[in-house]
Amino acid sequence: MKNKDMRFATQIIHAKKFRDPVAGAHISPIYQTSTFTFDSIDEAIERNQDYDQNKGFTYSRFGTPTTHELEQKLADIEGGEACLALSSGMAAISTALLTALQAGDHLIAGKVIYGCTFTLLIDVLKKYGIEVSLVDTTNLEEINKAIRPNTKVIYIETPANPTLTITDIEAVSKIAKANNALLMVDSTFASPALQNPLKLGADIVVHSATKYISGHGAVVAGVIIGTREFIYNARFPNLQVFGGCLSSFDAWLLMLGMKTLSVRMDKHCENAMTIAKWLESHPQIERVYYPGLESHPTHEIAKKQMRGYGGMMSFDIKGGLEAAKAFLNSVTLFGLGTSLGNVDSLIQHSPTMSHFGMTAEERAEVSIIDGQVRVSIGLEAVEDLIDDINQALEKARKAVQ
Ligand code: PLP
């Protein structure tokens, strides 16, 4: 069956399957080597000067057969021409932005954004002469108003971390195209199981593969998917000189994790929807941020562009910081940590953990308030997760009464 004819659950397992030429191994071998040798100097010159992973490899900083297999699978799954795998989601985001931008260029990005991406845009890119405007990307008028003659990239995170706002990828891609800018989408929270930004008109998609793509919390990795030309330019010279390469072992672990992405994501979505609805009517909860709820301000866009609403949500607990701290100290099934997208549930306090790099005013502007926690709903029995949240909310209530 051709990849294009496969449904997602089949494609995520079979896309660009590697055929081991040595022993026919069912699971691909790990090419654990730093370098590759050649039969002759002519071959060495050709491989080094005309780099093409379909023909061979030179040095593992630029790629290995294992990272190449992962890249081919992800390009296929996202509907892009090519992919570059890197050592973290932040390596993917910074490499993609440095490939697309140079001093004097202007970037428009969403105001609700992962904390380290915010630091990259505000503290780092500005230092290198790149102008940055942060706007509410759910409001197309704000994007249009922010466009300048030197706008080269519109960068959106959808669903956005931590309040799950959804930006209309198709509508923003039209604005980008009309202004000769590239649309770059961080699709980490959705994963390729729930949305494919390139199919909606985006030019580049980035993922923290640490999260749902891996699914088991054992790897830190990132990927960029886009045109063959863009990915080549991201590899040479950016990966080449900044050096944030992914190891073969981690690429292999990602491929193992990816095989269950479809079934994992179905269960993440089902559990999260049940918990979001339950939380919405809980007397200790002020507000629930989950794009699957009709009360979510951008629910209609999520319904249009996503195949499910994902496993991530935030909620505001009555009683502010003190109540949130008592709650976080009382949960027993949720691991207290900043990551997400794993089979087991995780919880964090966005204002003091993932988004501590923003000022209190910057956080307040985008509803990241002191009583807010973010949860990554795992694959446990949903009744057990609800029981755990319920008992912790009761402790939070007593702590502030
Ligand atoms: N993008 C989003 C939406 C994230 O939540 C994160 C990390 O939490 C990143 C990017 C960065 O990924 P990594 O931690 O793999 O560098």
Side-chain angles (χ1 to χ4, degrees):
M1 189 185 259
K2 289 201 179 93
N3 285 338
K4 70 173 179 44
D5 297 329
M6 292 177 193
R7 288 161 184 83
F8 183 74
T10 312
Q11 197 189 6
I12 195 75
I13 294 171
H14 290 281
K16 300 283 175 184
K17 213 169 186 160
F18 177 84
R19 183 76 200 136
D20 171 25
V22 176
H26 172 55
I27 299 296
S28 309
I30 307 169
Y31 284 82
Q32 195 68 32
T33 179
S34 59
T35 196
F36 299 83
T37 56
F38 307 98
D39 289 336
S40 69
I41 182 61
D42 286 343
E43 189 193 356
I45 291 168
E46 195 188 327
R47 289 279 58 74
N48 277 274
Q49 297 189 5
D50 174 25
Y51 188 84
D52 179 350
Q53 296 198 143
N54 293 310
K55 293 185 184 157
F57 298 84
T58 57
Y59 186 59
S60 291
R61 181 164 11 102
F62 315 141
T64 72
T66 319
T67 58
H68 182 50
E69 185 185 355
L70 172 74
E71 289 168 352
Q72 285 186 303
K73 283 181 192 296
L74 281 164
D76 195 68
I77 284 154
E78 279 291 19
E81 284 177 8
C83 168
L84 178 64
L86 293 126
S87 57
S88 70
M90 286 315 301
I93 294 167
S94 55
T95 301
L97 287 172
L98 290 173
T99 303
L101 295 162
Q102 61 183 34
D105 288 345
H106 175 237
L107 162 89
I108 297 172
K111 269 185 192 164
V112 186
I113 210 153
Y114 171 55
C116 293
T117 308
F118 183 86
T119 305
L120 168 69
L121 303 183
I122 297 303
D123 297 342
V124 182
L125 289 189
K126 277 192 176 168
K127 222 167 69 181
Y128 293 98
I130 293 161
E131 300 164 21
V132 177
S133 302
L134 296 184
V135 304
D136 173 3
T137 52
T138 66
N139 181 342
L140 301 179
E141 207 32 52
E142 276 202 29
I143 302 180
N144 269 316
K145 274 197 197 138
I147 295 277
R148 298 179 191 167
N150 57 342
T151 303
K152 292 285 159 52
V153 173
I154 302 178
Y155 181 94
I156 59 176
E157 198 176 284
T158 185
N161 186 356
T163 52
L164 286 296
T165 50
I166 309 291
T167 295
D168 188 331
I169 298 172
E170 200 170 4
V172 179
S173 81
K174 287 185 183 144
I175 300 177
K177 280 190 179 60
N179 291 282
N180 293 319
L182 294 176
L183 173 60
M184 203 177 284
V185 180
D186 180 339
S187 192
T188 299
F189 273 30
S191 90
L194 300 184
Q195 78 189 5
N196 302 111
L198 301 179
K199 294 180 183 163
L200 296 170
D203 300 286
I204 297 139
V205 58
V206 290
H207 287 278
S208 166
T210 315
K211 313 293 166 28
Y212 288 103
I213 291 175
S214 154
H216 296 78
V219 177
V220 175
V223 295
I224 314 171
I225 299 136
T227 61
R228 210 163 276 118
E229 186 188 359
F230 187 86
I231 295 301
Y232 189 88
N233 292 338
R235 198 184 302 275
F236 296 108
N238 286 341
L239 167 62
Q240 181 189 25
V241 300
F242 291 118
C245 56
L246 183 67
S247 76
S248 286
F249 183 57
D250 285 350
W252 184 86
L253 283 173
L254 285 174
M255 287 190 279
L256 217 51
M258 264 166 61
K259 290 191 185 198
T260 56
L261 177 59
S262 178
V263 282
R264 277 190 283 116
M265 202 42 114
D266 285 350
K267 184 71 175 160
H268 284 299
C269 291
E270 188 188 312
N271 278 359
M273 184 61 110
T274 306
I275 291 171
K277 283 185 179 159
W278 175 80
L279 279 171
E280 213 174 20
S281 58
H282 195 287
Q284 284 300 107
I285 300 298
E286 242 154 32
R287 185 173 169 191
V288 183
Y289 306 78
Y290 183 65
L293 294 176
E294 280 175 24
S295 59
H296 190 272
T298 44
H299 169 69
E300 286 306 318
I301 309 169
K303 203 162 138 187
K304 184 179 78 160
Q305 76 187 11
M306 297 177 75
R307 294 186 286 276
Y309 302 106
M312 294 302 300
M313 77 183 71
S314 289
F315 48 90
D316 300 340
I317 301 174
K318 284 184 184 159
L321 184 59
E322 211 187 321
K325 280 187 168 172
F327 177 78
L328 290 160
N329 283 331
S330 304
V331 283
T332 58
L333 286 177
F334 290 80
L336 177 56
T338 58
S339 200
L340 60 108
N342 294 346
V343 293
D344 35 3
S345 295
L346 287 166
I347 194 160
Q348 68 131 19
H349 185 241
S350 306
T352 57
M353 294 171 69
S354 60
H355 290 71
F356 82 95
M358 295 167 82
T359 64
E361 293 73 37
E362 284 163 346
R363 284 196 297 268
E365 209 189 322
V366 289
S367 304
I368 306 172
I369 63 170
D370 285 352
Q372 188 173 102
V373 299
R374 190 196 72 189
V375 286
S376 168
I377 301 296
L379 310 184
E380 300 92 338
V382 72
E383 297 84 354
D384 292 339
L385 295 176
I386 288 178
D387 286 350
D388 194 29
I389 296 172
N390 205 23
Q391 64 78 25
L393 282 174
E394 181 54 18
K395 298 218 173 82
R397 187 184 68 78
K398 287 188 178 143
V400 293
Q401 90 186 152

